[in-house]
Amino acid sequence: MPFTLPSRTPSAGPRRRSLFAGAAGAVLLVGCSPGAASDTGGGPSAADRARARVARDSETLAERYTAVLAAHPALAGLLEPLRAEVVRHAKAFGGKASATPSASDARSGSASPSPVPADEKAALAELVTAEKQLADRRTKALLAVPGELARLMASVAAAGAVHVFLLTEGAK
């Protein structure tokens, strides 16, 4: 004779699995609350420091795009939309990157910490490396920031991965 489990009636109360799942969900929600990663001190919180760092990284990347655009104007069709998105990322994190590169920055090359390669493919390869490193760094930092900031950083890291793909395809 096969073994069958007795049927449960709705009035029998919640199942044990439901209670465990609910408790686990509550712990996750508490862990993702804005106060979970706050510091108790007079200085900026860890989340504020992470937000500022991400904004600076995006601003630096936007400056790199500006330098490559100044050195290789033929790449404008590929690079301008990506640069505009990087600028939006910087602003989303509180940065002050400008939407359009200034003419003096483009002429002087002051927006770039290092010279732009004369070869277009090499310049694109440098942008690919910068985007990839930044996306990887942001992905690793996700565990150290609270919920909403982590979601925004994950979204921007994913956009960086898309930029890597587009730049790689553009170099072909």
Side-chain angles (χ1 to χ4, degrees):
M1 177 168 174
F3 178 74
T4 59
L5 293 173
S7 64
R8 290 185 47 91
T9 61
S11 63
R15 300 182 95 171
R16 190 175 2 184
R17 275 186 247 152
S18 301
L19 290 174
F20 284 132
V27 169
L28 288 174
L29 287 175
V30 170
C32 291
S33 69
S38 63
D39 293 341
T40 58
S45 69
D48 290 340
R49 289 189 304 271
R51 183 179 295 276
R53 184 176 53 253
V54 171
R56 278 191 312 272
D57 288 346
S58 289
E59 289 169 342
T60 301
L61 184 59
E63 291 169 356
R64 189 65 189 167
Y65 271 96
T66 300
V68 173
L69 280 164
H72 302 287
L75 295 174
L78 172 64
L79 299 184
E80 283 176 350
L82 299 178
R83 183 191 182 285
E85 192 169 330
V86 170
V87 168
R88 283 191 298 274
H89 296 161
K91 288 181 179 181
F93 288 103
K96 300 185 183 0
S98 71
T100 57
S102 71
S104 62
D105 282 348
R107 281 193 305 274
S108 68
S110 64
S112 175
S114 62
V116 175
D119 179 52
E120 285 182 0
K121 287 190 178 198
L124 286 175
E126 278 190 0
L127 281 174
V128 166
T129 300
E131 284 274 16
K132 186 172 184 172
Q133 289 173 346
L134 192 53
D136 290 346
R137 221 172 29 242
R138 287 176 176 166
T139 301
K140 289 177 186 171
L142 289 177
L143 296 175
V145 295
E148 191 58 37
L149 180 57
R151 285 185 283 278
L152 183 57
M153 282 176 61
S155 176
V156 171
V162 170
H163 290 187
V164 168
F165 173 77
L166 293 172
L167 290 167
T168 302
E169 289 298 308
K172 290 181 180 178

